[in-house]
Amino acid sequence: MNRRVFVIGLGAVLAAPLVAEAQQAGKVARVGFLSPGERSSRGWQADVLKEALRGHGWVEGENLVIEYRFGGERYERLRMLADELVRLKVDLIFASSAPAAQAAKEATATVPIVFSTLNDPVRASFVTSFARPGRNMTGQAGFGPDLERKRIGLLKEVVPSLSRATVLINPSNPMSPQRLSEINETARALNLSLSLATASDAKELDEALRMMARARPGGLIVLEDPLLLANGKRIIDFAAQHRIPAVYTSLGWAEQGGLMEYAANTRELIRRAASYVDRILKGAKPGDLPIEQPTKFELVINMKTAKALGLTIPPSLLLRADQVIK
Amino acid sequence: MIDLSALTDLSEFVMSHWPHADLRAIGPYEQS
């Protein structure tokens, strides 16, 4: 028997009792999946969760019901959907992104909430500490110290003369004040003048892009936001058209033509969060499960975009990249 | 667009735009 077959076989043997345990008990778990955006753009996150839960023995249609709720373009709608999930008496709410976690937190202090976010959940007041979240919330937080410094550093590596940049945020995102503060402090420390552009919907984005076209910043930093990502192609095309080097703070931009991105892998965060869902469905208390943070952040560089912008990417930077799109 | 480098006090700006923001969450990042 080769080793891979053995490992898979062993996994199946270990997983089988869990499935059996749930099925024997006749328990059907009900999980609410709460996300901003649309199913067409964000449904893949629900799919990742569903597949990861299957690996823990929770199979949709057998011993698992997932109530999917997508809030569309307006974050305010998430609160109504979170209330609805609470009324449905779900066993747990999975909050995909900080705005969803915020809405779930406001909707319930008792139903367990597992979140996947790229923000600091302590600063967001979701939990009281990383080690002991202490409330009905826990999850995965894909951020770490010096991330903003590294992102600005990336821009400076490809544009050594960079002195002015614009940061684009969605002001409706509850994490915006916190993130803006962090990136502004970092920019000041690195002698980079920052200007702020805001957009909370497609119409505001039009206006923000018009203003940026007039200001012609030397660089662009797009703070991660599900709704900005949904309009990602327009932002990427704008940066290409106006020859503005941009760094993105979540994954998924470079493959669409964005210059570079440096962030935690959301798929991995969701997979890990699924293990918390599993443990809570089996009786663990969310407040006892420490917030987990990734040890690795991924750097993706799109060389086609770099060439189109006339940029030379230093070899040392290419060596550090986890993926180079050619 | 707003020139952030011209602001002497970002927290004042933040509070005027996000009146419900938690001031404890504003400032340089430190591992909690």
Side-chain angles (χ1 to χ4, degrees), chain A residues 99-120:
Chain A
Q102 176 73 34
K105 180 196 165 197
E106 290 170 4
T108 179
T110 53
V111 176
I113 299 164
V114 174
F115 55 75
S116 164
T117 176
L118 297 178
N119 288 279
D120 181 337

Side-chain angles (χ1 to χ4, degrees), chain A residues 120 123 130 143 145 171 177-178 180-181 184 188 194-196 211-212 215 293, chain B residues 1-5 7 10 13-14 18 21-22 25-29 31-32:
Chain A
D120 181 337
R123 281 191 156 190
F130 283 78
F143 81 104
Q178 162 189 325
L180 182 61
S181 166
N184 189 52
R188 278 178 186 240
L194 266 194
S195 56
L196 172 66
M211 285 195 291
M212 256 192 275
Q293 289 179 264
Chain B
M1 291 206 299
I2 297 142
D3 183 1
L4 295 175
S5 59
L7 298 175
L10 184 75
F13 170 80
V14 167
W18 294 274
D22 181 355
I26 297 168
Y29 171 80
Q31 177 72 57
S32 306

Side-chain angles (χ1 to χ4, degrees), chain A residues 139-151:
Chain A
Q140 303 289 321
F143 81 104
D146 287 336
L147 265 185
E148 309 298 14
R149 180 178 291 272
K150 286 171 186 165
R151 286 163 177 155

Side-chain angles (χ1 to χ4, degrees), chain A residues 58-76:
Chain A
W58 298 101
V59 181
E60 190 177 29
E62 292 182 14
N63 58 357
L64 176 68
V65 171
I66 303 180
E67 300 283 353
Y68 300 95
R69 296 293 183 276
F70 292 89
E73 204 176 45
R74 288 283 169 194
Y75 286 138
E76 305 89 85

Side-chain angles (χ1 to χ4, degrees), chain A residues 235-317:
Chain A
I235 299 168
I236 290 163
D237 289 347
F238 167 84
Q241 184 189 346
H242 294 273
R243 301 177 68 82
I244 302 172
V247 64
Y248 303 90
T249 63
S250 61
L251 300 186
W253 294 79
E255 67 185 16
Q256 296 184 65
L259 176 61
M260 55 189 172
E261 60 199 13
Y262 184 61
N265 185 318
T266 300
R267 284 177 190 276
E268 191 53 34
L269 293 179
I270 295 172
R271 284 190 199 109
R272 293 185 69 92
S275 74
Y276 274 9
V277 173
D278 171 53
R279 288 170 69 177
I280 292 167
L281 291 177
K282 289 174 180 161
K285 292 181 181 166
D288 294 339
L289 301 175
I291 305 296
E292 291 188 338
Q293 289 179 264
T295 53
K296 179 171 169 38
F297 296 86
E298 294 182 15
L299 171 61
V300 184
I301 299 172
N302 188 318
M303 281 304 289
K304 282 190 284 192
T305 305
K307 279 180 190 156
L309 293 172
L311 297 171
T312 303
I313 305 293
S316 59
L317 186 53

